[in-house]
Amino acid sequence: MSIPFIDFREQNRLIAAEVDTGFKKVFEKGDYILGEQARLFEEAFARYCEAKHGVGVNSGTDALHLALLALGIDENDEVILPTHTFIATALCVSFCRAKPVFVDVEPDTYNIDPEAFRKAITKKTKAVIPVHIYGQPANMDEITSIAREHGIKVVEDAAQAHGSRYKNRRVGSLGDVACFSFYPTKSLGACGDAGMIVTSDKGIYERALMLRDYGRQGRYEHKIKGTNSRLDTIQAVILNAKLKHLDQWNQMRAKNAAAYAELLKPLKDVVAPVTKPDRTHVFQTYAVLVPNRDKVMEAMKAQGIGVLIHYPIGLHLQEAYAELGYKKGDFPVAEKVADQVMSLPMFPHMTREQVETVVAALKKSL
Ligand SMILES: *Cc1c(COP(=O)(O)O)cnc(C)c1O
């Protein structure tokens, strides 16, 4: 039995009728840009995150970029972020002409190490971007308290963690501003690119609104230099329909993760994800560490199992950031994760039998 990395057919079936009706309404109304469904989704998703405001944008990358611009990040500023993340977390800093400063991650959660963050702070540090990697919130109390001490803004990269909780609070409400992606494979995904800035800070909200719409306030007045990055009304129809199911789908992911954890236990060479007791993990990605990762991965693929790597190269070792002068060995924990990490198939409607098949294939591959 071959098993894809992701299979959303069942999810699509559940929302098909609602999406159909929603599309028809948008076509009739013609409010394609910042239309009613987009506004409703901004409100609904901000409420879901237990935050006051949502600003829908074109992608998660734009959400990060515009959030940093809204905070005033500029040339000569430094922004600290973990080296083990998707490159967009760093690109948004570069797009503001500021300098990304990479730090190592925690060995158990693979999230930013608060002590490493503290040590990397300089007079130029203006913001920190904790990434809730794979769906588990970073150590937010430590990070926000260090940040407050030094007057540093906290930008959550929540692109992988829609709906997870830290000390019973939702991600999206844990820093000054949070950024979400609705890229199709995220646990809340559109049928194209989409993203959102979520914040309870009125000033950030108002600047983000202008930044995504040519710096406009009113129709003809442009107060600042903004860009064009708006959530499509059509995508919002899909996202509104899916949001109603998100908590249930996250529970289904957690159930699959529990099945994985139970079945992986006898495989002593495999390190399964660790969830800290004070937070929930939504398992957007089910990432394990395995020895001889590249060989194991080939063997998995040969058995028809969809596996991927998130992420094989730390940002400090990417060619795009060669100018920063980092070298191999700078971040030993993140480098070990990058060498050994492998993502197993994970989607809400995965069956117990499919999880068993994946684990059996992994056992054979080791
Ligand atoms: C997906 C992702 C992004 C970028 O989102 P896009 O919508 O693809 O631009 C940023 N950060 C992290 C951690 C991501 O997983």
Side-chain angles (χ1 to χ4, degrees), residues 304-349:
I305 310 296
V307 283
L308 291 170
I309 307 176
H310 302 94
Y311 300 91
I313 307 171
L315 299 188
H316 66 291
L317 299 176
Q318 288 286 359
E319 195 180 338
Y321 283 112
E323 85 248 11
L324 297 176
Y326 292 101
K327 57 186 188 315
K328 211 167 165 57
D330 283 346
F331 303 116
V333 180
E335 287 172 24
K336 180 182 164 226
V337 176
D339 285 345
Q340 302 191 354
V341 78
M342 180 172 74
S343 308
L344 301 180
M346 172 57 82
F347 47 93
H349 294 86

mmCIF file of all heavy atoms in Angstrom, residues 304-349:
data_model
loop_
_atom_site.group_PDB
_atom_site.id
_atom_site.type_symbol
_atom_site.label_atom_id
_atom_site.label_comp_id
_atom_site.label_asym_id
_atom_site.label_seq_id
_atom_site.Cartn_x
_atom_site.Cartn_y
_atom_site.Cartn_z
ATOM 1 N N GLY A 304 7.023 3.122 -1.378
ATOM 2 C CA GLY A 304 5.818 3.888 -1.696
ATOM 3 C C GLY A 304 5.349 4.823 -0.589
ATOM 4 O O GLY A 304 4.197 5.255 -0.584
ATOM 5 N N ILE A 305 6.230 5.147 0.353
ATOM 6 C CA ILE A 305 5.834 6.036 1.458
ATOM 7 C C ILE A 305 6.317 7.455 1.157
ATOM 8 O O ILE A 305 7.505 7.673 0.917
ATOM 9 C CB ILE A 305 6.454 5.567 2.800
ATOM 10 C CG1 ILE A 305 6.193 4.077 3.039
ATOM 11 C CG2 ILE A 305 5.931 6.433 3.944
ATOM 12 C CD1 ILE A 305 4.756 3.689 3.210
ATOM 13 N N GLY A 306 5.406 8.397 1.200
ATOM 14 C CA GLY A 306 5.762 9.797 0.945
ATOM 15 C C GLY A 306 6.453 10.393 2.153
ATOM 16 O O GLY A 306 5.849 10.563 3.217
ATOM 17 N N VAL A 307 7.741 10.674 2.017
ATOM 18 C CA VAL A 307 8.487 11.305 3.116
ATOM 19 C C VAL A 307 9.203 12.540 2.566
ATOM 20 O O VAL A 307 9.531 12.601 1.383
ATOM 21 C CB VAL A 307 9.517 10.342 3.762
ATOM 22 C CG1 VAL A 307 8.836 9.363 4.684
ATOM 23 C CG2 VAL A 307 10.316 9.604 2.698
ATOM 24 N N LEU A 308 9.424 13.503 3.448
ATOM 25 C CA LEU A 308 10.107 14.742 3.058
ATOM 26 C C LEU A 308 11.067 15.143 4.175
ATOM 27 O O LEU A 308 11.057 14.529 5.257
ATOM 28 C CB LEU A 308 9.091 15.874 2.833
ATOM 29 C CG LEU A 308 8.160 15.767 1.613
ATOM 30 C CD1 LEU A 308 7.076 16.836 1.683
ATOM 31 C CD2 LEU A 308 8.943 15.897 0.307
ATOM 32 N N ILE A 309 11.864 16.179 3.908
ATOM 33 C CA ILE A 309 12.770 16.695 4.953
ATOM 34 C C ILE A 309 12.459 18.163 5.217
ATOM 35 O O ILE A 309 12.480 18.982 4.305
ATOM 36 C CB ILE A 309 14.251 16.584 4.531
ATOM 37 C CG1 ILE A 309 14.599 15.161 4.112
ATOM 38 C CG2 ILE A 309 15.148 17.038 5.682
ATOM 39 C CD1 ILE A 309 16.025 15.022 3.596
ATOM 40 N N HIS A 310 12.148 18.467 6.483
ATOM 41 C CA HIS A 310 11.958 19.865 6.901
ATOM 42 C C HIS A 310 12.915 20.160 8.048
ATOM 43 O O HIS A 310 12.585 19.828 9.164
ATOM 44 C CB HIS A 310 10.529 20.100 7.377
ATOM 45 C CG HIS A 310 9.486 19.789 6.358
ATOM 46 N ND1 HIS A 310 8.853 18.568 6.276
ATOM 47 C CD2 HIS A 310 8.990 20.543 5.356
ATOM 48 C CE1 HIS A 310 7.981 18.599 5.279
ATOM 49 N NE2 HIS A 310 8.054 19.771 4.699
ATOM 50 N N TYR A 311 14.123 20.609 7.865
ATOM 51 C CA TYR A 311 14.764 21.086 6.654
ATOM 52 C C TYR A 311 16.176 20.550 6.658
ATOM 53 O O TYR A 311 16.794 20.516 7.722
ATOM 54 C CB TYR A 311 14.758 22.625 6.647
ATOM 55 C CG TYR A 311 13.322 23.134 6.704
ATOM 56 C CD1 TYR A 311 12.719 23.385 7.940
ATOM 57 C CD2 TYR A 311 12.561 23.277 5.551
ATOM 58 C CE1 TYR A 311 11.393 23.802 7.999
ATOM 59 C CE2 TYR A 311 11.235 23.701 5.618
ATOM 60 C CZ TYR A 311 10.662 23.950 6.836
ATOM 61 O OH TYR A 311 9.348 24.327 6.912
ATOM 62 N N PRO A 312 16.727 20.157 5.534
ATOM 63 C CA PRO A 312 18.031 19.478 5.523
ATOM 64 C C PRO A 312 19.243 20.405 5.692
ATOM 65 O O PRO A 312 20.325 19.934 6.005
ATOM 66 C CB PRO A 312 18.066 18.809 4.140
ATOM 67 C CG PRO A 312 17.139 19.625 3.295
ATOM 68 C CD PRO A 312 16.096 20.180 4.209
ATOM 69 N N ILE A 313 19.049 21.708 5.454
ATOM 70 C CA ILE A 313 20.178 22.644 5.554
ATOM 71 C C ILE A 313 19.779 23.812 6.446
ATOM 72 O O ILE A 313 18.777 24.486 6.172
ATOM 73 C CB ILE A 313 20.584 23.186 4.155
ATOM 74 C CG1 ILE A 313 20.840 22.033 3.182
ATOM 75 C CG2 ILE A 313 21.805 24.103 4.259
ATOM 76 C CD1 ILE A 313 21.042 22.479 1.734
ATOM 77 N N GLY A 314 20.541 24.040 7.514
ATOM 78 C CA GLY A 314 20.264 25.191 8.377
ATOM 79 C C GLY A 314 20.427 26.477 7.574
ATOM 80 O O GLY A 314 21.227 26.538 6.642
ATOM 81 N N LEU A 315 19.672 27.498 7.977
ATOM 82 C CA LEU A 315 19.738 28.754 7.213
ATOM 83 C C LEU A 315 21.139 29.344 7.232
ATOM 84 O O LEU A 315 21.567 29.976 6.269
ATOM 85 C CB LEU A 315 18.736 29.777 7.759
ATOM 86 C CG LEU A 315 17.270 29.368 7.701
ATOM 87 C CD1 LEU A 315 16.385 30.544 8.096
ATOM 88 C CD2 LEU A 315 16.892 28.852 6.317
ATOM 89 N N HIS A 316 21.882 29.101 8.334
ATOM 90 C CA HIS A 316 23.238 29.685 8.432
ATOM 91 C C HIS A 316 24.175 29.066 7.400
ATOM 92 O O HIS A 316 25.223 29.628 7.130
ATOM 93 C CB HIS A 316 23.789 29.520 9.844
ATOM 94 C CG HIS A 316 24.040 28.100 10.260
ATOM 95 N ND1 HIS A 316 23.032 27.196 10.489
ATOM 96 C CD2 HIS A 316 25.190 27.417 10.488
ATOM 97 C CE1 HIS A 316 23.552 26.035 10.838
ATOM 98 N NE2 HIS A 316 24.862 26.136 10.846
ATOM 99 N N LEU A 317 23.802 27.921 6.829
ATOM 100 C CA LEU A 317 24.658 27.261 5.832
ATOM 101 C C LEU A 317 24.095 27.390 4.413
ATOM 102 O O LEU A 317 24.612 26.784 3.479
ATOM 103 C CB LEU A 317 24.844 25.786 6.207
ATOM 104 C CG LEU A 317 25.532 25.552 7.563
ATOM 105 C CD1 LEU A 317 25.580 24.067 7.895
ATOM 106 C CD2 LEU A 317 26.924 26.173 7.595
ATOM 107 N N GLN A 318 23.037 28.155 4.253
ATOM 108 C CA GLN A 318 22.472 28.354 2.913
ATOM 109 C C GLN A 318 23.322 29.358 2.129
ATOM 110 O O GLN A 318 23.762 30.360 2.674
ATOM 111 C CB GLN A 318 21.031 28.887 3.007
ATOM 112 C CG GLN A 318 20.024 27.862 3.489
ATOM 113 C CD GLN A 318 19.667 26.806 2.440
ATOM 114 O OE1 GLN A 318 20.167 26.848 1.306
ATOM 115 N NE2 GLN A 318 18.826 25.858 2.834
ATOM 116 N N GLU A 319 23.471 29.074 0.844
ATOM 117 C CA GLU A 319 24.265 29.957 -0.016
ATOM 118 C C GLU A 319 23.736 31.390 0.016
ATOM 119 O O GLU A 319 24.512 32.353 -0.017
ATOM 120 C CB GLU A 319 24.245 29.412 -1.445
ATOM 121 C CG GLU A 319 25.300 30.035 -2.329
ATOM 122 C CD GLU A 319 25.272 29.471 -3.750
ATOM 123 O OE1 GLU A 319 24.751 28.359 -3.946
ATOM 124 O OE2 GLU A 319 25.762 30.171 -4.647
ATOM 125 N N ALA A 320 22.417 31.515 0.091
ATOM 126 C CA ALA A 320 21.809 32.855 0.096
ATOM 127 C C ALA A 320 22.331 33.705 1.255
ATOM 128 O O ALA A 320 22.298 34.934 1.197
ATOM 129 C CB ALA A 320 20.292 32.745 0.170
ATOM 130 N N TYR A 321 22.799 33.037 2.329
ATOM 131 C CA TYR A 321 23.286 33.781 3.494
ATOM 132 C C TYR A 321 24.785 33.628 3.718
ATOM 133 O O TYR A 321 25.291 33.857 4.826
ATOM 134 C CB TYR A 321 22.463 33.411 4.738
ATOM 135 C CG TYR A 321 21.123 34.118 4.688
ATOM 136 C CD1 TYR A 321 19.938 33.433 4.505
ATOM 137 C CD2 TYR A 321 21.076 35.507 4.743
ATOM 138 C CE1 TYR A 321 18.727 34.108 4.396
ATOM 139 C CE2 TYR A 321 19.876 36.193 4.635
ATOM 140 C CZ TYR A 321 18.713 35.493 4.458
ATOM 141 O OH TYR A 321 17.531 36.175 4.349
ATOM 142 N N ALA A 322 25.495 33.257 2.647
ATOM 143 C CA ALA A 322 26.956 33.096 2.750
ATOM 144 C C ALA A 322 27.618 34.375 3.251
ATOM 145 O O ALA A 322 28.589 34.319 4.009
ATOM 146 C CB ALA A 322 27.532 32.697 1.392
ATOM 147 N N GLU A 323 27.050 35.531 2.884
ATOM 148 C CA GLU A 323 27.685 36.816 3.245
ATOM 149 C C GLU A 323 27.770 37.010 4.758
ATOM 150 O O GLU A 323 28.554 37.822 5.240
ATOM 151 C CB GLU A 323 26.920 37.983 2.591
ATOM 152 C CG GLU A 323 25.712 38.503 3.369
ATOM 153 C CD GLU A 323 24.363 38.236 2.701
ATOM 154 O OE1 GLU A 323 24.320 37.471 1.722
ATOM 155 O OE2 GLU A 323 23.354 38.787 3.177
ATOM 156 N N LEU A 324 26.962 36.278 5.516
ATOM 157 C CA LEU A 324 26.975 36.468 6.966
ATOM 158 C C LEU A 324 28.150 35.749 7.636
ATOM 159 O O LEU A 324 28.443 35.982 8.801
ATOM 160 C CB LEU A 324 25.649 36.000 7.577
ATOM 161 C CG LEU A 324 24.409 36.793 7.116
ATOM 162 C CD1 LEU A 324 23.138 36.184 7.702
ATOM 163 C CD2 LEU A 324 24.499 38.273 7.506
ATOM 164 N N GLY A 325 28.799 34.845 6.887
ATOM 165 C CA GLY A 325 30.042 34.239 7.382
ATOM 166 C C GLY A 325 29.893 33.130 8.410
ATOM 167 O O GLY A 325 30.831 32.815 9.131
ATOM 168 N N TYR A 326 28.716 32.523 8.490
ATOM 169 C CA TYR A 326 28.585 31.380 9.405
ATOM 170 C C TYR A 326 29.287 30.169 8.807
ATOM 171 O O TYR A 326 29.503 30.101 7.595
ATOM 172 C CB TYR A 326 27.106 31.036 9.612
ATOM 173 C CG TYR A 326 26.314 32.069 10.378
ATOM 174 C CD1 TYR A 326 25.493 32.976 9.718
ATOM 175 C CD2 TYR A 326 26.376 32.119 11.768
ATOM 176 C CE1 TYR A 326 24.752 33.922 10.427
ATOM 177 C CE2 TYR A 326 25.640 33.054 12.484
ATOM 178 C CZ TYR A 326 24.822 33.949 11.799
ATOM 179 O OH TYR A 326 24.091 34.867 12.497
ATOM 180 N N LYS A 327 29.622 29.202 9.651
ATOM 181 C CA LYS A 327 30.257 27.970 9.151
ATOM 182 C C LYS A 327 29.667 26.748 9.838
ATOM 183 O O LYS A 327 28.982 26.864 10.867
ATOM 184 C CB LYS A 327 31.766 28.038 9.354
ATOM 185 C CG LYS A 327 32.150 28.265 10.785
ATOM 186 C CD LYS A 327 33.636 28.465 10.946
ATOM 187 C CE LYS A 327 34.029 28.490 12.411
ATOM 188 N NZ LYS A 327 33.175 29.310 13.286
ATOM 189 N N LYS A 328 29.944 25.599 9.242
ATOM 190 C CA LYS A 328 29.493 24.331 9.811
ATOM 191 C C LYS A 328 30.057 24.198 11.213
ATOM 192 O O LYS A 328 31.219 24.513 11.448
ATOM 193 C CB LYS A 328 29.960 23.176 8.927
ATOM 194 C CG LYS A 328 29.005 22.002 8.963
ATOM 195 C CD LYS A 328 29.283 20.994 7.862
ATOM 196 C CE LYS A 328 28.588 19.678 8.127
ATOM 197 N NZ LYS A 328 27.141 19.732 8.298
ATOM 198 N N GLY A 329 29.218 23.767 12.152
ATOM 199 C CA GLY A 329 29.674 23.638 13.533
ATOM 200 C C GLY A 329 29.197 24.790 14.409
ATOM 201 O O GLY A 329 29.273 24.707 15.636
ATOM 202 N N ASP A 330 28.703 25.858 13.803
ATOM 203 C CA ASP A 330 28.257 27.016 14.593
ATOM 204 C C ASP A 330 27.043 26.686 15.468
ATOM 205 O O ASP A 330 26.914 27.212 16.565
ATOM 206 C CB ASP A 330 27.905 28.194 13.666
ATOM 207 C CG ASP A 330 29.147 28.906 13.155
ATOM 208 O OD1 ASP A 330 30.242 28.672 13.719
ATOM 209 O OD2 ASP A 330 29.030 29.698 12.187
ATOM 210 N N PHE A 331 26.142 25.846 14.968
ATOM 211 C CA PHE A 331 24.912 25.537 15.706
ATOM 212 C C PHE A 331 24.727 24.022 15.740
ATOM 213 O O PHE A 331 23.949 23.447 14.959
ATOM 214 C CB PHE A 331 23.724 26.237 15.048
ATOM 215 C CG PHE A 331 23.908 27.726 14.948
ATOM 216 C CD1 PHE A 331 23.995 28.346 13.708
ATOM 217 C CD2 PHE A 331 24.044 28.496 16.094
ATOM 218 C CE1 PHE A 331 24.188 29.722 13.614
ATOM 219 C CE2 PHE A 331 24.247 29.871 16.008
ATOM 220 C CZ PHE A 331 24.323 30.483 14.772
ATOM 221 N N PRO A 332 25.449 23.367 16.662
ATOM 222 C CA PRO A 332 25.503 21.897 16.645
ATOM 223 C C PRO A 332 24.154 21.204 16.801
ATOM 224 O O PRO A 332 23.924 20.169 16.174
ATOM 225 C CB PRO A 332 26.433 21.556 17.827
ATOM 226 C CG PRO A 332 26.721 22.829 18.542
ATOM 227 C CD PRO A 332 26.306 23.980 17.688
ATOM 228 N N VAL A 333 23.267 21.750 17.610
ATOM 229 C CA VAL A 333 21.979 21.069 17.808
ATOM 230 C C VAL A 333 21.173 21.113 16.503
ATOM 231 O O VAL A 333 20.698 20.086 16.004
ATOM 232 C CB VAL A 333 21.169 21.710 18.957
ATOM 233 C CG1 VAL A 333 19.840 20.984 19.132
ATOM 234 C CG2 VAL A 333 21.967 21.698 20.256
ATOM 235 N N ALA A 334 21.068 22.296 15.924
ATOM 236 C CA ALA A 334 20.305 22.443 14.679
ATOM 237 C C ALA A 334 20.923 21.617 13.557
ATOM 238 O O ALA A 334 20.209 21.043 12.732
ATOM 239 C CB ALA A 334 20.243 23.920 14.278
ATOM 240 N N GLU A 335 22.253 21.533 13.530
ATOM 241 C CA GLU A 335 22.911 20.774 12.454
ATOM 242 C C GLU A 335 22.633 19.280 12.594
ATOM 243 O O GLU A 335 22.429 18.581 11.605
ATOM 244 C CB GLU A 335 24.415 21.068 12.450
ATOM 245 C CG GLU A 335 24.701 22.469 11.911
ATOM 246 C CD GLU A 335 26.151 22.910 12.048
ATOM 247 O OE1 GLU A 335 27.045 22.034 12.133
ATOM 248 O OE2 GLU A 335 26.386 24.129 12.085
ATOM 249 N N LYS A 336 22.596 18.814 13.831
ATOM 250 C CA LYS A 336 22.276 17.398 14.046
ATOM 251 C C LYS A 336 20.831 17.119 13.600
ATOM 252 O O LYS A 336 20.549 16.108 12.939
ATOM 253 C CB LYS A 336 22.460 17.043 15.527
ATOM 254 C CG LYS A 336 22.143 15.597 15.818
ATOM 255 C CD LYS A 336 22.261 15.231 17.292
ATOM 256 C CE LYS A 336 21.550 13.912 17.517
ATOM 257 N NZ LYS A 336 20.682 13.863 18.674
ATOM 258 N N VAL A 337 19.927 18.020 13.936
ATOM 259 C CA VAL A 337 18.531 17.853 13.520
ATOM 260 C C VAL A 337 18.455 17.846 11.988
ATOM 261 O O VAL A 337 17.826 16.969 11.385
ATOM 262 C CB VAL A 337 17.628 18.965 14.116
ATOM 263 C CG1 VAL A 337 16.201 18.842 13.595
ATOM 264 C CG2 VAL A 337 17.652 18.914 15.637
ATOM 265 N N ALA A 338 19.127 18.789 11.354
ATOM 266 C CA ALA A 338 19.087 18.879 9.888
ATOM 267 C C ALA A 338 19.605 17.591 9.234
ATOM 268 O O ALA A 338 19.096 17.164 8.205
ATOM 269 C CB ALA A 338 19.902 20.082 9.421
ATOM 270 N N ASP A 339 20.606 16.965 9.875
ATOM 271 C CA ASP A 339 21.188 15.734 9.325
ATOM 272 C C ASP A 339 20.283 14.519 9.500
ATOM 273 O O ASP A 339 20.386 13.549 8.756
ATOM 274 C CB ASP A 339 22.521 15.411 10.026
ATOM 275 C CG ASP A 339 23.632 16.333 9.538
ATOM 276 O OD1 ASP A 339 23.441 16.992 8.497
ATOM 277 O OD2 ASP A 339 24.677 16.408 10.214
ATOM 278 N N GLN A 340 19.445 14.532 10.550
ATOM 279 C CA GLN A 340 18.716 13.310 10.905
ATOM 280 C C GLN A 340 17.203 13.397 10.737
ATOM 281 O O GLN A 340 16.507 12.393 10.844
ATOM 282 C CB GLN A 340 19.018 12.940 12.365
ATOM 283 C CG GLN A 340 20.506 12.727 12.625
ATOM 284 C CD GLN A 340 20.770 12.107 13.989
ATOM 285 O OE1 GLN A 340 19.865 11.926 14.794
ATOM 286 N NE2 GLN A 340 22.022 11.769 14.247
ATOM 287 N N VAL A 341 16.689 14.589 10.497
ATOM 288 C CA VAL A 341 15.235 14.748 10.553
ATOM 289 C C VAL A 341 14.553 14.235 9.276
ATOM 290 O O VAL A 341 15.097 14.342 8.174
ATOM 291 C CB VAL A 341 14.865 16.229 10.841
ATOM 292 C CG1 VAL A 341 14.999 17.110 9.602
ATOM 293 C CG2 VAL A 341 13.470 16.342 11.430
ATOM 294 N N MET A 342 13.393 13.651 9.472
ATOM 295 C CA MET A 342 12.598 13.164 8.341
ATOM 296 C C MET A 342 11.115 13.301 8.719
ATOM 297 O O MET A 342 10.724 12.962 9.831
ATOM 298 C CB MET A 342 12.939 11.701 8.057
ATOM 299 C CG MET A 342 12.157 11.094 6.903
ATOM 300 S SD MET A 342 12.775 9.443 6.472
ATOM 301 C CE MET A 342 12.140 8.480 7.852
ATOM 302 N N SER A 343 10.322 13.823 7.782
ATOM 303 C CA SER A 343 8.898 14.016 8.056
ATOM 304 C C SER A 343 8.099 12.847 7.491
ATOM 305 O O SER A 343 8.212 12.525 6.313
ATOM 306 C CB SER A 343 8.405 15.318 7.426
ATOM 307 O OG SER A 343 9.232 16.394 7.815
ATOM 308 N N LEU A 344 7.294 12.228 8.356
ATOM 309 C CA LEU A 344 6.454 11.091 7.945
ATOM 310 C C LEU A 344 5.090 11.602 7.462
ATOM 311 O O LEU A 344 4.692 12.718 7.805
ATOM 312 C CB LEU A 344 6.261 10.144 9.136
ATOM 313 C CG LEU A 344 7.546 9.555 9.750
ATOM 314 C CD1 LEU A 344 7.188 8.642 10.930
ATOM 315 C CD2 LEU A 344 8.342 8.790 8.706
ATOM 316 N N PRO A 345 4.372 10.803 6.693
ATOM 317 C CA PRO A 345 3.040 11.232 6.238
ATOM 318 C C PRO A 345 2.170 11.654 7.421
ATOM 319 O O PRO A 345 2.200 11.003 8.480
ATOM 320 C CB PRO A 345 2.473 9.971 5.571
ATOM 321 C CG PRO A 345 3.682 9.212 5.107
ATOM 322 C CD PRO A 345 4.724 9.470 6.162
ATOM 323 N N MET A 346 1.453 12.735 7.267
ATOM 324 C CA MET A 346 0.559 13.223 8.327
ATOM 325 C C MET A 346 -0.542 14.077 7.722
ATOM 326 O O MET A 346 -0.263 15.070 7.054
ATOM 327 C CB MET A 346 1.354 14.045 9.350
ATOM 328 C CG MET A 346 0.508 14.770 10.399
ATOM 329 S SD MET A 346 -0.588 13.735 11.399
ATOM 330 C CE MET A 346 0.533 13.125 12.649
ATOM 331 N N PHE A 347 -1.778 13.646 7.928
ATOM 332 C CA PHE A 347 -2.947 14.439 7.542
ATOM 333 C C PHE A 347 -4.124 13.927 8.371
ATOM 334 O O PHE A 347 -4.078 12.791 8.868
ATOM 335 C CB PHE A 347 -3.217 14.353 6.035
ATOM 336 C CG PHE A 347 -3.189 12.961 5.449
ATOM 337 C CD1 PHE A 347 -4.347 12.217 5.332
ATOM 338 C CD2 PHE A 347 -1.985 12.393 5.022
ATOM 339 C CE1 PHE A 347 -4.324 10.933 4.795
ATOM 340 C CE2 PHE A 347 -1.959 11.105 4.491
ATOM 341 C CZ PHE A 347 -3.129 10.366 4.375
ATOM 342 N N PRO A 348 -5.143 14.781 8.594
ATOM 343 C CA PRO A 348 -6.197 14.421 9.548
ATOM 344 C C PRO A 348 -6.869 13.081 9.274
ATOM 345 O O PRO A 348 -7.126 12.311 10.195
ATOM 346 C CB PRO A 348 -7.200 15.574 9.424
ATOM 347 C CG PRO A 348 -6.386 16.731 8.956
ATOM 348 C CD PRO A 348 -5.325 16.157 8.069
ATOM 349 N N HIS A 349 -7.167 12.799 8.020
ATOM 350 C CA HIS A 349 -7.957 11.600 7.727
ATOM 351 C C HIS A 349 -7.098 10.360 7.479
ATOM 352 O O HIS A 349 -7.584 9.364 6.931
ATOM 353 C CB HIS A 349 -8.907 11.867 6.560
ATOM 354 C CG HIS A 349 -9.951 12.877 6.900
ATOM 355 N ND1 HIS A 349 -9.749 14.233 6.764
ATOM 356 C CD2 HIS A 349 -11.201 12.748 7.428
ATOM 357 C CE1 HIS A 349 -10.818 14.887 7.171
ATOM 358 N NE2 HIS A 349 -11.726 14.003 7.581
#
